[in-house]
Amino acid sequence: MKGKTGLIMGLANKFSIAYGISESLKNREADLIFTSQTEYFKNKISDIVSDFSNHEILLCDVSNDGDIDNLFDIISSKIGRLDFIVHSLAFSDKNELSGKYYDTSRSNFLNAMNISCYSFTEVCRNARKLMTDGGSIVTLTYYGSEKVVPNYNVMALAKAALETSVRYLAEDLGEFGIRVNAISAGPIKTLAASGVGEFSKILEYERNRSPMKRNVTQKDIGEACAFLLSDMSSGITGEILHVDCGSNIIGVKF
Ligand code: NAD
């Protein structure tokens, strides 16, 4: 990845999936730009990535009208181009990530869809202007979009819509040499994941179900993502790649 420049959206701390991805990209000598949702996170991110070369940290709250356009304008004037983007962010009110799905409020439904799904469309639309030599864009999803996982609730719908966006965006951007894919990551204990009710049970269940008898790690996701962002995956677009130690292949297990 030497000579390539990419944007990482969704790094909050060292437990973030985006951190595992950033480490894999750093090891391959990519130059990285990070976004931070708030000034508070910006200071934290700054400490975390202090040993990354040539990095920038730019503010972007994807729920604010204009923040994504503004982000890409800044990257355009400072750097001029991008080779890859990682969209590793999502949000739902924690109170609605337990109990019955039908109790989801209209406001949280719309907010979860806006932040976790629509933001990806807006990012991809802006990416076109900066990916003048083609590029690769990856977002993060979860198996709860395919099958019912207790408590995942509204986030499952947002991820299902996100996965469909991946296919439509891959079609829209293919003619510009831009590939769009998702990684369906197995469960990892992060800030966002700890908001899902009984998350430790999900971790345990997926570990037992995995043919490999373990949970996925940040490094597993990071390495797979580096592959999707690199030219090694040049023929892959519109795909949802499961990186979950095989747990999605198991139907019934005695
Ligand atoms: P995390 O808490 O480390 O990261 C979530 C990020 O979303 C944070 O950096 C947060 O600042 C950002 N975010 C939330 N609202 C935002 C907004 N309005 N504007 C900008 N940024 C915003 O958690 P994570 O688990 O690393 O999550 C990253 C992605 O991976 C999410 O899409 C999540 O759904 C997905 N995912 C997580 C798991 C898991 O088990 N952890 C599994 C599969 C997929």
Side-chain angles (χ1 to χ4, degrees):
M1 304 297 278
K2 198 177 168 87
K4 288 193 191 278
T5 302
L7 175 66
I8 309 286
M9 305 182 74
L11 176 62
N13 55 42
K14 283 204 167 186
F15 301 104
S16 295
I17 288 178
Y19 182 71
I21 294 171
S22 304
E23 280 283 298
S24 293
L25 293 166
K26 180 181 80 172
N27 294 340
R28 288 170 176 79
E29 300 181 74
D31 290 331
L32 303 178
I33 304 158
F34 298 90
T35 62
S36 173
Q37 183 185 353
T38 62
E39 201 65 56
Y40 169 79
F41 276 126
K42 192 171 175 183
N43 295 331
K44 291 203 168 294
I45 295 169
S46 179
D47 291 343
I48 294 171
V49 302
S50 57
D51 60 335
F52 285 57
S53 62
N54 297 330
H55 67 267
E56 289 262 358
I57 307 169
L58 302 171
L59 281 177
C60 180
D61 181 333
V62 301
S63 67
N64 288 342
D65 270 340
D67 262 28
I68 294 178
D69 289 347
N70 193 33
L71 168 72
F72 280 84
D73 285 347
I74 294 171
I75 298 173
S76 175
S77 61
K78 281 193 165 182
I79 293 145
R81 56 185 290 277
L82 275 180
D83 299 296
F84 62 85
I85 301 174
V86 176
H87 174 275
S88 182
L89 57 91
F91 180 80
S92 160
D93 179 345
K94 182 177 180 298
N95 295 324
E96 298 194 6
L97 293 176
S98 61
K100 299 281 192 196
Y101 164 66
Y102 61 50
D103 285 329
T104 303
S105 62
R106 185 193 298 258
S107 65
N108 187 46
F109 184 97
L110 295 175
N111 201 31
M113 282 287 177
N114 185 24
I115 294 174
S116 318
C117 177
Y118 182 69
S119 64
F120 187 60
T121 297
E122 228 184 323
V123 163
C124 288
R125 182 168 62 245
N126 275 281
R128 209 196 80 123
K129 294 178 257 170
L130 289 183
M131 290 186 162
T132 43
D133 296 330
S136 176
I137 309 177
V138 172
T139 187
L140 272 296
T141 185
Y142 176 59
Y143 178 73
S145 63
E146 299 169 48
K147 301 283 179 193
V148 172
V149 173
N151 301 320
Y152 203 56
N153 295 355
V154 68
M155 195 49 68
L157 279 82
K159 293 303 190 190
L162 180 70
E163 290 173 21
T164 301
S165 324
V166 165
R167 292 184 278 273
Y168 277 80
L169 292 162
E171 162 64 10
D172 285 353
L173 295 176
E175 65 177 301
F176 307 108
I178 301 171
R179 299 183 292 110
V180 183
N181 293 290
I183 289 178
S184 183
I188 299 185
K189 198 165 175 16
T190 62
L191 198 62
S194 52
V196 180
E198 301 180 294
F199 184 71
S200 54
K201 278 195 189 167
I202 297 178
L203 269 178
E204 187 189 347
Y205 180 75
E206 298 275 7
R207 184 167 58 244
N208 291 337
R209 208 163 67 115
S210 156
M212 297 166 74
K213 289 279 174 281
R214 69 171 178 86
N215 286 122
V216 78
T217 63
Q218 281 170 311
K219 187 172 180 195
D220 292 325
I221 311 292
E223 296 290 288
C225 191
F227 163 72
L228 284 178
L229 297 175
S230 77
D231 297 337
M232 282 191 297
S233 59
S234 53
I236 302 177
T237 194
E239 286 292 331
I240 315 296
L241 176 65
H242 289 87
V243 183
D244 56 6
C245 295
S247 37
N248 77 92
I249 65 168
I250 304 295
V252 176
K253 192 161 183 172
F254 295 109

